[in-house]
Amino acid sequence: MILTLNVAVLLGVIIYFRIRRRVQARSRSDQWLTVSIVLVFGVLIAPTEFGQGIADVLGDAVKNFSEAGSP
């Protein structure tokens, strides 16, 4: 039996458990580690269809928000 593991899914699980922790208990290095993990997760997920869908939805939301603010 061969077990395959998607690195993006693994990082997503790690991010979920790191963010659930209490904020007061984090050191500066712990915060930088979390930020680094999230950045790597973003790089891994960006070229996928799911990542492109998220980028499209966020782009549309930002465009609609900026057009709503203009006269």
Side-chain angles (χ1 to χ4, degrees), residues 12-23:
V13 171
I14 291 170
I15 291 167
Y16 173 76
F17 284 112
R18 289 188 67 82
I19 291 178
R20 277 186 22 158
R21 293 188 358 199
R22 291 181 36 188
V23 177

Side-chain angles (χ1 to χ4, degrees), residues 5 8 34 45-46 48 56 68:
L5 182 63
T34 302
I45 203 166
T48 64
D56 291 340

Side-chain angles (χ1 to χ4, degrees), residues 5-14 41:
L5 182 63
N6 189 341
V7 176
V9 173
L10 177 64
L11 284 177
V13 171
I14 291 170
F41 178 72

